[in-house]
Coordinates of all heavy atoms in Angstrom, one line a residue:
M1 N -10.4 -0.2 1.1 CA -9.8 -0.9 2.3 C -10.9 -1.5 3.2 O -10.5 -2.2 4.1 CB -9.0 0.1 3.1 CG -7.6 0.5 2.4 SD -6.2 0.2 3.4 CE -5.0 0.8 2.4
A2 N -12.1 -1.3 2.8 CA -13.2 -1.8 3.6 C -13.3 -3.4 3.5 O -13.4 -4.1 4.5 CB -14.5 -1.2 3.2
K3 N -13.1 -3.8 2.3 CA -13.2 -5.2 2.1 C -11.8 -5.9 2.0 O -11.0 -5.6 1.1 CB -13.9 -5.5 0.8 CG -15.4 -5.7 1.0 CD -16.0 -6.4 -0.2 CE -17.5 -6.8 0.1 NZ -18.1 -7.6 -1.0
T4 N -11.5 -6.7 3.0 CA -10.2 -7.4 2.9 C -10.4 -8.9 2.7 O -9.6 -9.7 3.1 CB -9.5 -7.2 4.3 OG1 -10.3 -7.5 5.3 CG2 -9.0 -5.7 4.4
D5 N -11.6 -9.2 2.1 CA -11.9 -10.6 1.9 C -11.0 -11.2 0.8 O -11.2 -11.0 -0.4 CB -13.3 -10.8 1.5 CG -14.2 -10.8 2.7 OD1 -13.7 -10.7 3.8 OD2 -15.4 -10.9 2.6
A6 N -9.9 -11.9 1.2 CA -9.1 -12.5 0.3 C -8.3 -13.6 1.1 O -7.9 -13.5 2.2 CB -8.1 -11.6 -0.3
C7 N -8.1 -14.7 0.4 CA -7.4 -15.8 1.0 C -6.0 -15.4 1.4 O -5.3 -14.9 0.6 CB -7.3 -17.0 0.0 SG -6.3 -18.3 0.6
P8 N -5.6 -15.5 2.7 CA -4.3 -15.0 3.2 C -3.2 -15.8 2.6 O -2.0 -15.4 2.6 CB -4.4 -15.2 4.7 CG -5.5 -16.2 4.9 CD -6.5 -16.1 3.8
I9 N -3.5 -17.0 2.0 CA -2.5 -17.8 1.4 C -2.2 -17.4 0.0 O -1.1 -17.2 -0.5 CB -2.8 -19.3 1.5 CG1 -3.0 -19.7 3.0 CG2 -1.7 -20.1 0.9 CD1 -1.8 -19.5 3.8
C10 N -3.3 -17.4 -0.9 CA -3.0 -17.1 -2.3 C -3.7 -15.9 -2.7 O -3.5 -15.4 -3.9 CB -3.5 -18.3 -3.1 SG -5.3 -18.5 -3.0
G11 N -4.6 -15.2 -1.9 CA -5.2 -14.0 -2.3 C -6.5 -14.1 -3.1 O -7.1 -13.1 -3.5
K12 N -6.9 -15.3 -3.3 CA -8.2 -15.5 -4.0 C -9.4 -15.2 -3.1 O -9.2 -15.2 -1.9 CB -8.3 -17.0 -4.5 CG -7.4 -17.2 -5.7 CD -7.6 -18.6 -6.1 CE -6.5 -19.1 -7.2 NZ -6.6 -20.5 -7.5
P13 N -10.5 -14.9 -3.7 CA -11.7 -14.8 -2.8 C -12.0 -16.0 -2.1 O -12.0 -17.1 -2.6 CB -12.8 -14.5 -3.9 CG -12.2 -14.2 -5.1 CD -10.8 -14.8 -5.1
P14 N -12.3 -15.9 -0.7 CA -12.6 -17.0 0.1 C -13.9 -17.7 -0.2 O -14.8 -17.0 -0.7 CB -12.6 -16.5 1.5 CG -12.4 -15.0 1.4 CD -12.3 -14.6 0.0
A15 N -13.9 -19.0 -0.1 CA -15.2 -19.7 -0.3 C -15.8 -20.0 1.0 O -15.2 -20.4 2.0 CB -14.9 -21.0 -1.1
G16 N -17.2 -20.0 1.0 CA -18.0 -20.1 2.2 C -17.5 -21.0 3.3 O -17.1 -20.5 4.4
T17 N -17.3 -22.3 3.0 CA -17.0 -23.2 4.1 C -15.5 -23.1 4.5 O -15.2 -23.6 5.6 CB -17.3 -24.6 3.7 OG1 -16.7 -24.8 2.4 CG2 -18.8 -24.8 3.6
H18 N -14.7 -22.5 3.7 CA -13.3 -22.5 4.0 C -12.8 -21.2 4.5 O -11.7 -21.0 4.8 CB -12.5 -22.9 2.7 CG -12.8 -24.3 2.2 ND1 -12.5 -25.4 3.0 CD2 -13.4 -24.7 1.1 CE1 -12.9 -26.5 2.3 NE2 -13.4 -26.0 1.1
K19 N -13.7 -20.2 4.6 CA -13.3 -18.9 5.1 C -12.4 -19.0 6.3 O -12.6 -19.8 7.2 CB -14.6 -18.0 5.4 CG -15.1 -17.3 4.2 CD -16.2 -16.3 4.7 CE -16.6 -15.5 3.5 NZ -17.6 -14.5 3.8
P20 N -11.4 -18.1 6.4 CA -11.1 -17.0 5.4 C -10.3 -17.5 4.2 O -9.7 -16.7 3.5 CB -10.3 -16.0 6.3 CG -9.6 -16.9 7.2 CD -10.5 -18.1 7.5
F21 N -10.2 -18.8 4.1 CA -9.4 -19.4 3.0 C -10.3 -19.7 1.8 O -11.5 -19.8 1.9 CB -8.6 -20.5 3.4 CG -7.8 -20.3 4.6 CD1 -8.2 -20.7 5.9 CD2 -6.6 -19.6 4.6 CE1 -7.5 -20.5 7.1 CE2 -5.8 -19.4 5.8 CZ -6.3 -19.8 7.0
C22 N -9.6 -19.9 0.7 CA -10.4 -20.1 -0.6 C -10.6 -21.6 -0.8 O -11.5 -22.0 -1.5 CB -9.6 -19.5 -1.7 SG -8.2 -20.5 -2.2
S23 N -9.8 -22.5 -0.1 CA -10.0 -23.9 -0.3 C -9.4 -24.7 0.9 O -8.6 -24.1 1.7 CB -9.3 -24.3 -1.5 OG -7.9 -24.1 -1.5
Q24 N -9.6 -25.9 0.9 CA -9.1 -26.8 1.9 C -7.5 -26.8 1.8 O -6.8 -26.8 2.8 CB -9.5 -28.2 1.8 CG -9.1 -29.2 2.8 CD -9.6 -28.8 4.2 OE1 -10.8 -28.6 4.4 NE2 -8.8 -28.8 5.2
G25 N -7.0 -26.7 0.6 CA -5.6 -26.7 0.5 C -4.9 -25.5 1.1 O -3.9 -25.7 1.8
C26 N -5.5 -24.3 0.9 CA -4.9 -23.2 1.5 C -5.0 -23.2 3.1 O -4.2 -22.8 3.8 CB -5.6 -21.9 1.0 SG -5.0 -21.6 -0.7
R27 N -6.1 -23.8 3.5 CA -6.3 -24.0 4.9 C -5.2 -24.9 5.5 O -4.6 -24.5 6.5 CB -7.6 -24.7 5.1 CG -8.5 -24.1 6.2 CD -9.9 -24.7 6.2 NE -10.5 -24.6 7.5 CZ -11.8 -24.9 7.6 NH1 -12.5 -25.3 6.6 NH2 -12.3 -24.8 8.8
D28 N -4.9 -25.9 4.9 CA -3.9 -26.8 5.3 C -2.5 -26.1 5.3 O -1.7 -26.3 6.2 CB -3.8 -28.1 4.4 CG -5.0 -29.0 4.7 OD1 -5.7 -28.8 5.7 OD2 -5.2 -29.8 3.8
R29 N -2.3 -25.4 4.3 CA -1.0 -24.7 4.2 C -0.8 -23.7 5.3 O 0.3 -23.6 5.9 CB -0.9 -24.0 2.8 CG 0.5 -24.0 2.3 CD 0.6 -23.1 1.1 NE 0.0 -23.8 -0.1 CZ 0.1 -23.3 -1.3 NH1 0.8 -22.2 -1.5 NH2 -0.5 -24.0 -2.3
D30 N -1.9 -23.0 5.7 CA -1.8 -22.1 6.8 C -1.5 -22.8 8.1 O -0.7 -22.4 8.9 CB -3.1 -21.3 6.9 CG -3.1 -20.3 8.0 OD1 -2.4 -19.3 7.8 OD2 -3.6 -20.4 9.1
L31 N -2.1 -24.0 8.3 CA -1.9 -24.8 9.5 C -0.4 -25.2 9.5 O 0.2 -25.1 10.6 CB -2.8 -25.9 9.5 CG -2.7 -26.9 10.7 CD1 -3.1 -26.1 12.0 CD2 -3.6 -28.1 10.6
L32 N 0.1 -25.6 8.4 CA 1.5 -26.1 8.4 C 2.4 -25.0 8.7 O 3.4 -25.2 9.4 CB 1.8 -26.6 7.0 CG 1.2 -28.0 6.7 CD1 1.4 -28.4 5.3 CD2 1.8 -29.1 7.6
Q33 N 2.1 -23.8 8.3 CA 2.9 -22.6 8.6 C 3.0 -22.4 10.1 O 4.0 -22.2 10.7 CB 2.4 -21.4 7.9 CG 2.9 -21.3 6.5 CD 2.4 -19.9 5.9 OE1 1.9 -19.0 6.5 NE2 2.5 -19.8 4.6
W34 N 1.8 -22.5 10.7 CA 1.8 -22.4 12.2 C 2.6 -23.4 12.8 O 3.4 -23.2 13.7 CB 0.3 -22.5 12.7 CG -0.4 -21.3 12.7 CD1 -1.2 -20.8 11.7 CD2 -0.4 -20.2 13.7 NE1 -1.7 -19.5 12.0 CE2 -1.2 -19.2 13.2 CE3 0.1 -20.2 14.9 CZ2 -1.5 -18.0 14.0 CZ3 -0.1 -19.0 15.7 CH2 -0.9 -18.0 15.2
L35 N 2.5 -24.7 12.4 CA 3.3 -25.7 13.0 C 4.8 -25.6 12.8 O 5.6 -25.8 13.6 CB 2.8 -27.1 12.4 CG 1.4 -27.5 12.8 CD1 1.1 -28.8 12.1 CD2 1.3 -27.7 14.3
G36 N 5.1 -25.0 11.6 CA 6.5 -24.8 11.2 C 7.1 -23.8 12.2 O 8.2 -24.0 12.7
E37 N 6.3 -22.7 12.4 CA 6.8 -21.7 13.3 C 7.0 -22.3 14.7 O 8.0 -21.9 15.4 CB 5.9 -20.5 13.4 CG 6.0 -19.6 12.2 CD 4.9 -18.5 12.3 OE1 4.5 -18.1 13.4 OE2 4.5 -18.0 11.2
G38 N 6.1 -23.1 15.1 CA 6.3 -23.8 16.5 C 7.5 -24.5 16.6 O 8.2 -24.4 17.6
Y39 N 7.9 -25.3 15.5 CA 9.1 -26.1 15.6 C 10.4 -25.2 15.7 O 11.4 -25.7 16.1 CB 9.2 -27.0 14.4 CG 8.2 -28.2 14.6 CD1 7.3 -28.5 13.6 CD2 8.3 -29.0 15.7 CE1 6.5 -29.6 13.7 CE2 7.5 -30.1 15.9 CZ 6.5 -30.4 14.8 OH 5.7 -31.4 15.0
R40 N 10.2 -24.0 15.1 CA 11.4 -23.2 15.1 C 11.8 -22.5 16.3 O 12.9 -22.0 16.5 CB 11.2 -22.1 13.9 CG 11.6 -22.6 12.6 CD 11.6 -21.5 11.6 NE 11.2 -22.0 10.3 CZ 10.8 -21.2 9.3 NH1 10.7 -19.9 9.5 NH2 10.6 -21.7 8.1
I41 N 10.8 -22.5 17.2 CA 11.1 -21.8 18.5 C 12.2 -22.6 19.3 O 12.1 -23.7 19.6 CB 9.8 -21.8 19.4 CG1 8.8 -20.9 18.8 CG2 10.2 -21.4 20.8 CD1 7.4 -20.9 19.5
P42 N 13.3 -21.8 19.6 CA 14.4 -22.5 20.3 C 14.1 -22.9 21.7 O 13.4 -22.1 22.4 CB 15.5 -21.4 20.2 CG 14.8 -20.1 20.0 CD 13.5 -20.4 19.3
A43 N 14.4 -24.1 22.0 CA 14.0 -24.5 23.4 C 15.2 -24.9 24.2 O 16.0 -25.7 23.7 CB 13.0 -25.7 23.3
G44 N 15.3 -24.5 25.4 CA 16.4 -25.0 26.3 C 17.5 -24.1 26.6 O 17.4 -23.2 27.4
P45 N 18.7 -24.3 25.9 CA 20.0 -23.7 26.3 C 19.9 -22.3 26.8 O 20.4 -22.0 27.9 CB 20.7 -23.8 24.9 CG 20.2 -24.9 24.2 CD 18.7 -25.0 24.7
L46 N 19.3 -21.4 26.0 CA 19.2 -20.0 26.5 C 18.5 -19.8 27.8 O 18.9 -19.1 28.6 CB 18.6 -19.2 25.4 CG 19.4 -19.0 24.1 CD1 18.6 -18.2 23.1 CD2 20.7 -18.2 24.5
N47 N 17.4 -20.5 27.9 CA 16.6 -20.4 29.2 C 17.4 -20.9 30.4 O 17.3 -20.4 31.5 CB 15.3 -21.2 29.0 CG 14.3 -20.5 28.1 OD1 14.4 -19.3 27.9 ND2 13.4 -21.2 27.5
V48 N 18.1 -22.0 30.2 CA 18.9 -22.6 31.3 C 19.9 -21.6 31.7 O 20.1 -21.4 32.9 CB 19.6 -23.9 30.7 CG1 20.6 -24.3 31.8 CG2 18.6 -25.0 30.6
D49 N 20.5 -20.9 30.7 CA 21.5 -19.9 31.1 C 20.9 -18.8 31.9 O 21.5 -18.3 32.9 CB 22.1 -19.3 29.8 CG 23.5 -18.8 30.0 OD1 24.2 -19.4 30.8 OD2 23.8 -17.8 29.4
E50 N 19.7 -18.4 31.6 CA 19.0 -17.3 32.3 C 18.7 -17.8 33.8 O 18.9 -17.1 34.7 CB 17.7 -17.0 31.6 CG 17.9 -15.8 30.7 CD 16.5 -15.5 30.0 OE1 15.5 -15.4 30.7 OE2 16.5 -15.3 28.7
A51 N 18.2 -19.0 33.9 CA 17.9 -19.5 35.3 C 19.2 -19.5 36.1 O 19.1 -19.3 37.3 CB 17.2 -20.8 35.1
D52 N 20.3 -19.8 35.5 CA 21.5 -20.0 36.2 C 22.0 -18.6 36.8 O 22.7 -18.6 37.8 CB 22.5 -20.6 35.3 CG 23.5 -21.5 36.0 OD1 23.1 -22.0 37.1 OD2 24.7 -21.6 35.7
S53 N 21.6 -17.6 36.1 CA 22.1 -16.2 36.5 C 21.1 -15.5 37.4 O 21.2 -14.3 37.7 CB 22.4 -15.4 35.2 OG 21.2 -15.1 34.6
L54 N 20.1 -16.2 37.9 CA 19.2 -15.6 38.9 C 19.9 -15.2 40.2 O 20.8 -15.9 40.7 CB 18.1 -16.6 39.2 CG 16.9 -16.6 38.2 CD1 15.9 -17.7 38.7 CD2 16.2 -15.3 38.1
P55 N 19.5 -14.1 40.8 CA 20.1 -13.7 42.0 C 19.9 -14.7 43.1 O 18.8 -15.4 43.2 CB 19.4 -12.4 42.4 CG 18.7 -11.9 41.1 CD 18.6 -13.1 40.3
D56 N 20.8 -14.8 44.1 CA 20.6 -15.8 45.2 C 19.4 -15.5 46.0 O 18.8 -16.4 46.6 CB 21.9 -15.8 46.1 CG 23.0 -16.4 45.4 OD1 22.8 -17.2 44.4 OD2 24.2 -16.2 45.8
G57 N 19.0 -14.3 46.2 CA 17.9 -13.9 47.0 C 16.6 -14.6 46.5 O 15.9 -15.1 47.4
L58 N 16.4 -14.7 45.2 CA 15.2 -15.3 44.8 C 15.2 -16.8 45.0 O 14.2 -17.4 45.4 CB 15.1 -15.1 43.3 CG 14.7 -13.7 42.8 CD1 14.7 -13.5 41.4 CD2 13.3 -13.3 43.4
D59 N 16.4 -17.4 44.9 CA 16.5 -18.8 45.1 C 16.2 -19.2 46.6 O 15.5 -20.1 46.9 CB 17.9 -19.3 44.7 CG 18.0 -20.8 44.7 OD1 17.2 -21.4 43.9 OD2 18.9 -21.4 45.3
S60 N 16.8 -18.5 47.5 CA 16.6 -18.8 49.0 C 15.2 -18.6 49.4 O 14.7 -19.2 50.3 CB 17.6 -18.0 49.8 OG 17.3 -16.6 49.7
R61 N 14.5 -17.7 48.7 CA 13.2 -17.4 49.1 C 12.3 -18.6 48.9 O 11.4 -18.8 49.6 CB 12.7 -16.2 48.2 CG 11.5 -15.6 48.7 CD 11.1 -14.4 47.8 NE 9.8 -13.9 48.0 CZ 9.1 -13.1 47.2 NH1 9.6 -12.8 46.1 NH2 7.9 -12.7 47.5
G62 N 12.6 -19.4 47.8 CA 11.8 -20.5 47.5 C 12.1 -21.7 48.4 O 11.3 -22.5 48.8
S63 N 13.4 -21.9 48.8 CA 13.8 -23.1 49.5 C 13.7 -22.9 51.0 O 13.9 -23.8 51.8 CB 15.2 -23.4 49.1 OG 16.1 -22.3 49.4
A64 N 13.4 -21.7 51.5 CA 13.3 -21.4 52.9 C 12.1 -22.1 53.6 O 12.1 -22.4 54.7 CB 13.2 -19.9 53.1
D65 N 11.1 -22.3 52.7 CA 9.9 -22.9 53.3 C 10.0 -24.3 53.5 O 10.1 -25.1 52.7 CB 8.7 -22.6 52.3 CG 7.6 -22.1 53.2 OD1 7.8 -21.5 54.2 OD2 6.4 -22.3 52.8
Ligands
ZN101 ZN1 -6.2 -19.7 -1.3

């Protein structure tokens, strides 16, 4: 368990310049995964609902000034 040197995408031994990936291709794939997750994050509707249910006290505190 001491050595975990393996490409996180395909499990091959990483190559020097592409570490921790084994190749440019796996590097790109990892990046795409990150971007994909970003796009999946739901934006809007739920947050709006939360803001709407804030107690009145918090709201007047901001507009009092
Ligand atoms: Zn790989």
Side-chain angles (χ1 to χ4, degrees):
M1 287 235 183
K3 269 200 172 185
T4 53
D5 276 359
C7 173
I9 302 299
C10 69
K12 287 181 187 173
T17 51
H18 298 297
K19 270 189 176 182
F21 307 100
C22 73
S23 67
Q24 182 68 46
C26 284
R27 226 171 156 171
D28 288 347
R29 214 185 286 187
D30 185 72
L31 181 65
L32 285 174
Q33 277 185 12
W34 273 93
L35 293 177
E37 281 178 29
Y39 282 126
R40 271 188 212 165
I41 292 176
L46 287 176
N47 287 336
V48 170
D49 207 37
E50 266 180 46
D52 213 29
S53 63
L54 278 176
D56 286 341
L58 287 175
D59 192 54
S60 60
R61 196 177 168 198
S63 57
D65 227 28

